Amino acid sequence: MRYGIFGDVHANLQALQAVADGLQEQSVDELLCLGDLVGYGADPAACIEMVRAMGPTLVGGNHDWGAAGRLQLTYFNPAARAAIEWTRATLDRETLDWLGSQDVLTTVGDVTVSHSTIHDPQLFDYLVTAYDAYLSFRHLTTPLAFVGHSHVPATFFDGNPITPCYDTVVDLAGRRCIANVGSVGQPRDGNPLAAFGVYDDATGVLTVHRVAYDVEAAAARIRAAGLPDILAERLHLGR
Ligand code: ZN
């Protein structure tokens, strides 16, 4: 089985289209989506429609829950909050209810899917340090987990010590691990290219792919919507 893994789309339709094309080229059998379809970007409705049509196993993210009114907006910084309020005013009630109805953690066979952490997924903490991974490994009931939220690709291997790996091709065979494949719509690892992952459970290999997209068009959409300019600028920087 080849899994296509993607998340943190953040209403960036240009990036999502490029990732959907990339996933098609990789001929994956099953899609896992790590949440945060909305927030920051200017095409929430079109991105939701596209992801729903792709039919992935899906979890909700903090921006999805924030737009739906399931998470307090005090959680967010001012630019993120402005985008969530704009998103809430843009989407219809049915779509907002659908966003708010997504669980934040689910399992598919041997794989756990969570937007933030495994240990407290509804708190939306980041999983970026070995200690964060340690807490999550204690609650992990499957050999493998995919998480999003930090927008930085990384794979953590269980052990003593727990070690992070930032390679783009990683052999997961026979090991317990928690992997983040990066963000579709707002990368933060200094690389502005859209990110997604492919995991082949026959070989045990996880590959993080990066694809170019029309950053200028996505940034122009953000500016045209009247969203904070920083949300457009950061797409160019991948920060
Ligand atoms: Zn996100």
Side-chain angles (χ1 to χ4, degrees), residues 1-4 21-30 198:
M1 178 88 82
R2 283 169 68 78
Y3 293 90
D21 292 347
L23 285 165
Q24 187 117 42
E25 270 171 38
Q26 290 295 321
S27 51
V28 295
D29 307 298
E30 181 141 358
V198 175

Side-chain angles (χ1 to χ4, degrees), residues 110-129:
D110 280 348
V111 181
T112 297
V113 181
S114 173
H115 181 68
S116 63
T117 67
I118 311 301
H119 52 282
D120 266 324
Q122 75 292 344
L123 293 186
F124 299 110
D125 291 328
Y126 290 96
L127 199 165
V128 287
T129 67

Side-chain angles (χ1 to χ4, degrees), residues 1 3-8 30-37 51 55-62 64-65 102-122 124-125 127 136 139-149 177-182 197 199 206:
M1 178 88 82
Y3 293 90
I5 308 117
F6 69 106
D8 291 292
E30 181 141 358
L31 291 171
L32 310 176
C33 180
L34 299 158
D36 271 1
L37 304 187
V51 170
T57 295
L58 175 70
V59 291
N62 49 308
D64 303 324
W65 276 22
Q102 304 302 320
D103 289 334
V104 285
L105 184 146
T106 190
T107 56
V108 204
D110 280 348
V111 181
T112 297
V113 181
S114 173
H115 181 68
S116 63
T117 67
I118 311 301
H119 52 282
D120 266 324
Q122 75 292 344
F124 299 110
D125 291 328
L127 199 165
S136 275
H139 286 77
L140 183 62
T141 57
T142 58
L144 175 60
F146 291 106
V147 299
H149 197 41
C177 32
I178 301 174
N180 187 321
V181 300
Y199 170 64
L206 170 69

Side-chain angles (χ1 to χ4, degrees), residues 7-10 35-36 38 40 62-63 115 126 148-151 183 186 188:
D8 291 292
V9 173
H10 287 297
D36 271 1
V38 304
Y40 301 129
N62 49 308
H63 289 256
H115 181 68
Y126 290 96
H149 197 41
S150 73
H151 302 200
S183 166
Q186 196 198 76
R188 291 180 194 161

